[in-house]
Amino acid sequence: MFEIGAHVIHPGQGVCTVTGYDDAGPAPMIVLECRQGHAKTRMLYPVSQEGRLHPAVTAEEAQDIIDNYDDIECDPFTERNSSLEESYFKQLIKRGAPETVRVAKTMRHRIEEAQRQDRKPSSYYTRVLKEAHRRSIEELACALGVSEEHLEGVFARNLGASEN
């Protein structure tokens, strides 16, 4: 069981905080609070399904991901059917960092590659990039105790430096 106050990765919501446990109903529940944007949402999650929740990365792991961003390899997975390919990457996003960072980097690379070849990138690249980037920033900022805006700036500087 997760400690109260622990940050976990919910497969559908991203970073959540364990705020308690509720044994009042027919099945024991974990009380989670997730924050997307400015709104906070309280959710009940079955204790029997807690194996689907992952601990968020630690501050050390988050800093290591940022410091070694250039060494993260793009995921080589391809599939003839773009819907199956999109499903594959969406499943990776549910795991949290470092997978979210790898997926974002992969989608960014694929978009740039298509543009270099004067082709229109697949629309799913943009959808998956947006979600992977959002979740990456959210989890890493939470682990480091910094604002998401600050971390956006760090990534913008690092991406700019790595592209030169």
Side-chain angles (χ1 to χ4, degrees):
M1 295 193 67
F2 295 104
E3 291 183 26
I4 293 176
H7 296 289
V8 297
I9 306 302
H10 181 284
Q13 300 297 318
V15 177
C16 294
T17 304
V18 176
T19 59
Y21 288 86
D22 183 355
D23 295 329
M29 304 295 262
I30 303 170
V31 182
L32 299 173
E33 185 176 274
C34 72
R35 185 176 156 261
Q36 288 187 7
H38 298 291
K40 289 184 180 182
T41 304
R42 183 177 172 265
M43 298 183 300
L44 297 176
Y45 196 83
V47 170
S48 63
Q49 298 289 316
E50 78 175 330
R52 295 184 63 211
L53 300 173
H54 305 284
V57 293
T58 64
E60 295 79 23
E61 292 168 327
Q63 192 61 54
D64 187 56
I65 290 168
I66 293 167
D67 292 344
N68 296 299
Y69 179 81
D70 289 343
D71 297 332
I72 296 173
E73 293 187 20
C74 290
D75 192 306
F77 182 82
T78 58
E79 178 65 55
R80 290 178 55 123
N81 181 321
S82 64
S83 178
L84 293 175
E85 196 170 279
E86 182 175 5
S87 294
Y88 168 83
F89 286 108
K90 284 183 174 181
Q91 287 300 317
L92 290 179
I93 290 171
K94 291 179 180 184
R95 297 181 187 170
E99 291 302 324
T100 53
V101 177
R102 179 186 319 281
V103 170
K105 186 173 183 178
T106 300
M107 293 302 114
R108 201 172 281 112
H109 174 74
R110 289 182 181 193
I111 290 168
E112 291 168 358
E113 187 65 28
Q115 290 170 340
R116 274 195 293 276
Q117 296 174 4
D118 290 328
R119 291 183 302 131
K120 183 178 178 190
S122 174
S123 59
Y124 100 77
Y125 292 171
T126 305
R127 284 192 304 273
V128 171
L129 171 58
K130 183 177 178 181
E131 182 65 10
H133 180 77
R134 180 190 70 77
R135 285 193 179 212
S136 296
I137 294 295
E138 180 183 54
E139 183 175 1
L140 297 176
C142 179
L144 294 170
V146 299
S147 71
E148 292 179 20
E149 293 78 19
H150 171 77
L151 205 54
E152 286 281 2
V154 169
F155 268 101
R157 285 189 299 278
N158 286 351
L159 289 174
S162 68
E163 291 170 359
N164 292 330

